[in-house]
Amino acid sequence: MKTKVNFVRGLKGMGVVIMITYNKSRVIFDFGAPFEPLTQIYDGTVLIRNKKRVKDALLLNQAPMIDYLYSKESLDDINLKPAEENPFETAIFISHCHKDHMSEIDKVDPSIPIYFHHLGLKLKQTLETIEEEPYYREYSGFEYHEKIVVGEIEVTAFFSDHTCIGSASFLIKTPDCTIIYSGDIRFHGLEAEKAWQAVKQICKNKIDLLIVDSTTTSSSEFVYSENEIEELNLPSKEILKGMISEQNIFDDIRKQLNNHKGIAVFNLYHRDIRMLEHLIKIAKEYKRKAVFEPHTAYIINELLNIPVNVMFPDNNLTYDFYEKVKNNNNIIFKKEVIDNPSDYFVQNTYKNILELTDYDGIEGIYFHLFGEPLVKGQSHYKTMANIIDKLNWRFFSYINLYSFSHAYPNHLAYYIKKLNPITVVAVHSTNPKALNPVNAKHYLPKENVDYYLINGKLIEK
Ligand SMILES: [Zn+2]
């Protein structure tokens, strides 16, 4: 028997899915749709169908075409073998709770276990409660360093410092090979130290194959022209050159809040729990009250176990969890903010952007901190920028996912050197060729092809 590796997708960008098989054991790593904000069919206008959602997701290349994962009924007329006939012992492992790594998991038949780090799992369940994630099935949790056995394959997760709580890298051992899948990694975050400690542990193993997040080698995305840098109007232009750390971003915000009179607003991605924690801290330092929308307040209550200030937006939407949010937090009314804008640091998500019109005539500053809309080409992005412009506010946009969430090329090289694998394969990058493999053999596989992994070499089946 030999180990087989299949890079189902994600060799040329986001939406990584990797399948490793040994005999009748099979493990799959990550399970998200490709991130294509400009062509995404489910853009909020088109509704997801109910009974046919699995079929649709497969037809639209959202869910990956893999045999024995989806129930016969859900497959409808899609030509895949159903989960009911699955001859493999199978498990799916999710590196972190970002959509491009897990958006399709709810479609997998419940007979197949899907694992998250227990904090990622807690986040997933919290997102289900606030109706940001669909609820169709249950998931399982793991701890860092816990070994999970799937037939003849062993999987051990390690800490990784990505922008999502409970992020993990995986050590995968089959009877004849050792493979590392990095998940999304970076080494310039506030927990870089802990991330390097994990690398130290992982590199005790002799590694045949390293599958590594190489996002920052997508050079066209990573290197900006002077014009683009000017346009983005960042306090620290260095962010786009990939030379700044997570700490620098928080310091930038501090610099801007210092001496700012008027309201301050932020728009973030609320799965970044550490950013939530830091904005609360920064608000306190500048004697402002951080105020959250109810969805985010609920996440903070659940994941950080603290009460916060919450302001309910003026719309007709109501959710079951609102009651809990009202009971567990301090409610702020719009009038209080309008009367004393300098006392507040207020969250505003794009869907509630009209809430900002109440601050017309008040001096303001808006931090776009990796919230939606993420990509400048999106029409929503232009709408957002237009509204901020109408308010005449200062607008700071941090949307470069590449320099914030993923390891810089020099860190990647050091990481590969430390792990010292025989072969390296780049994933999550539009330009995988640009990865510096250091001493490893740099292999550029094809998607959706079975490779045997023999003595660290990938051989097409
Ligand atoms: Zn990712």
Side-chain angles (χ1 to χ4, degrees):
M1 278 312 134
K2 294 181 189 92
T3 300
K4 274 189 288 185
V5 185
N6 188 315
F7 303 90
V8 182
R9 66 180 184 208
L11 286 172
K12 284 279 171 74
M14 296 179 177
V16 178
V17 180
I18 300 156
M19 181 160 70
I20 296 169
T21 315
Y22 186 90
N23 204 3
K24 286 281 174 271
S25 309
R26 186 166 76 152
V27 286
I28 295 168
F29 294 89
D30 284 341
F31 210 79
F35 178 69
E36 288 159 344
L38 299 183
T39 52
Q40 171 60 254
I41 169 99
Y42 299 124
D43 62 350
T45 312
V46 174
L47 291 175
I48 293 173
R49 295 205 293 169
N50 187 26
K51 287 194 207 82
K52 300 284 175 87
R53 66 200 180 89
V54 175
K55 168 199 169 146
D56 288 348
L58 288 160
L59 270 178
L60 294 165
N61 191 31
Q62 300 287 298
M65 292 288 276
I66 298 177
D67 281 326
Y68 306 121
L69 292 185
Y70 310 101
S71 76
K72 196 173 236 146
E73 194 191 348
S74 72
L75 280 170
D76 200 56
D77 58 352
I78 298 284
N79 190 18
L80 282 178
K81 293 180 184 113
E84 287 87 341
E85 294 164 21
N86 186 11
F88 295 98
E89 190 154 340
T90 308
I92 299 177
F93 292 85
I94 302 301
S95 65
H96 62 288
C97 196
H98 278 168
K99 281 191 175 299
D100 60 319
H101 295 259
M102 46 64 78
S103 65
E104 306 308 304
I105 53 175
D106 59 281
K107 289 146 191 114
V108 175
D109 188 72
S111 64
I112 292 161
I114 300 180
Y115 291 92
F116 280 87
H117 183 268
H118 76 273
L119 287 173
L121 181 58
K122 173 106 200 215
L123 175 61
K124 166 76 173 122
Q125 290 162 341
T126 305
L127 294 167
E128 285 168 2
T129 306
I130 65 171
E131 299 180 33
E132 184 175 313
E133 280 284 327
Y135 171 75
Y136 284 101
R137 53 161 291 164
E138 297 295 329
Y139 305 97
S140 310
F142 60 72
E143 302 284 344
Y144 295 127
H145 308 292
E146 180 188 345
K147 188 190 289 173
I148 294 172
V149 178
V150 184
E152 294 181 84
I153 305 177
E154 293 174 2
V155 178
T156 310
F158 289 85
F159 173 82
S160 119
D161 182 30
H162 190 51
T163 48
C164 191
I165 198 163
S167 293
S169 299
F170 298 102
L171 168 70
I172 307 126
K173 285 190 170 174
T174 69
D176 61 3
C177 293
T178 300
I179 301 167
I180 303 289
Y181 167 50
S182 68
D184 284 0
I185 45 168
R186 66 169 174 180
F187 298 96
H188 56 276
L190 291 169
E191 296 197 85
E193 179 80 39
K194 208 172 151 193
W196 285 123
Q197 286 301 330
V199 174
K200 223 172 167 179
Q201 309 227 300
I202 299 170
C203 72
K204 288 179 186 156
N205 297 276
K206 202 184 148 300
I207 296 156
D208 295 290
L209 171 66
L210 167 64
I211 304 164
V212 63
D213 163 18
S214 307
T215 307
T216 56
T217 63
S218 311
S219 55
S220 60
E221 319 271 1
F222 190 55
V223 178
Y224 280 72
S225 67
E226 279 305 313
N227 268 351
E228 284 170 308
I229 293 174
E230 276 321 306
E231 235 176 278
L232 284 168
N233 188 27
L234 294 171
S236 272
K237 315 252 183 271
E238 294 306 312
I239 181 176
L240 296 176
K241 294 175 187 158
M243 296 310 294
I244 84 155
S245 64
E246 184 182 16
Q247 182 65 48
N248 292 140
I249 293 188
F250 294 130
D251 289 346
D252 270 351
I253 297 168
R254 287 187 171 91
K255 209 162 96 190
Q256 295 307 320
L257 287 181
N258 201 15
N259 298 322
H260 171 67
K261 291 264 176 296
I263 191 165
V265 171
F266 59 90
N267 177 12
L268 51 52
Y269 190 43
H270 62 192
R271 297 189 189 195
D272 189 345
I273 307 300
R274 197 161 60 225
M275 184 174 279
L276 290 169
E277 205 175 4
H278 271 265
L279 292 181
I280 293 169
K281 197 171 144 215
I282 291 171
K284 252 194 210 122
E285 285 169 27
Y286 291 88
K287 301 198 169 42
R288 288 173 182 263
K289 282 183 184 155
V291 182
F292 295 91
E293 294 180 3
H295 289 69
T296 305
Y298 187 75
I299 291 179
I300 296 171
N301 295 161
E302 290 294 304
L303 275 298
L304 293 172
N305 296 307
I306 51 168
V308 287
N309 300 302
V310 59
M311 187 158 56
F312 284 81
D314 168 24
N315 58 43
N316 290 326
L317 296 174
T318 179
Y319 298 84
D320 291 345
F321 76 91
Y322 271 16
E323 211 38 53
K324 257 189 172 170
V325 171
K326 280 178 192 156
N327 291 334
N328 297 336
N329 298 283
N330 176 39
I331 298 175
I332 302 279
F333 294 95
K334 196 58 146 310
K335 193 177 176 309
E336 302 172 58
V337 184
I338 294 171
D339 289 347
N340 295 293
S342 300
D343 291 349
Y344 294 93
F345 195 18
V346 180
Q347 179 192 21
N348 181 263
T349 57
Y350 180 69
K351 65 176 191 295
N352 290 318
I353 194 159
L354 290 179
E355 291 294 322
L356 300 184
T357 60
D358 293 335
Y359 307 119
D360 192 23
I362 295 173
E363 205 177 315
I365 185 166
Y366 183 100
F367 297 100
H368 190 44
L369 293 167
F370 309 94
E372 295 274 353
L374 252 187
V375 176
K376 267 189 93 185
Q378 284 170 284
S379 65
H380 291 166
Y381 190 95
K382 286 170 203 152
T383 307
M384 172 184 69
N386 279 341
I387 290 179
I388 308 305
D389 193 51
K390 278 214 175 80
L391 289 165
N392 232 332
W393 287 3
R394 287 190 292 152
F395 178 54
F396 293 103
S397 179
Y398 299 79
I399 51 167
N400 191 313
L401 286 173
Y402 303 94
S403 56
F404 184 64
S405 310
H406 302 273
Y408 297 142
N410 57 341
H411 285 161
L412 271 184
Y414 187 69
Y415 177 75
I416 296 169
K417 191 176 157 199
K418 276 275 168 211
L419 293 186
N420 195 25
I422 300 174
T423 297
V424 63
V425 168
V427 291
H428 213 288
S429 163
T430 57
N431 190 13
K433 274 190 193 136
L435 177 72
N436 172 5
V438 195
N439 294 322
K441 181 179 158 39
H442 189 189
Y443 198 83
L444 296 164
K446 293 173 218 151
E447 284 191 351
N448 218 355
V449 167
D450 274 337
Y451 290 90
Y452 285 122
L453 181 60
I454 302 170
N455 300 324
K457 282 201 187 85
L458 285 166
I459 296 159
E460 203 170 326
K461 204 181 149 187

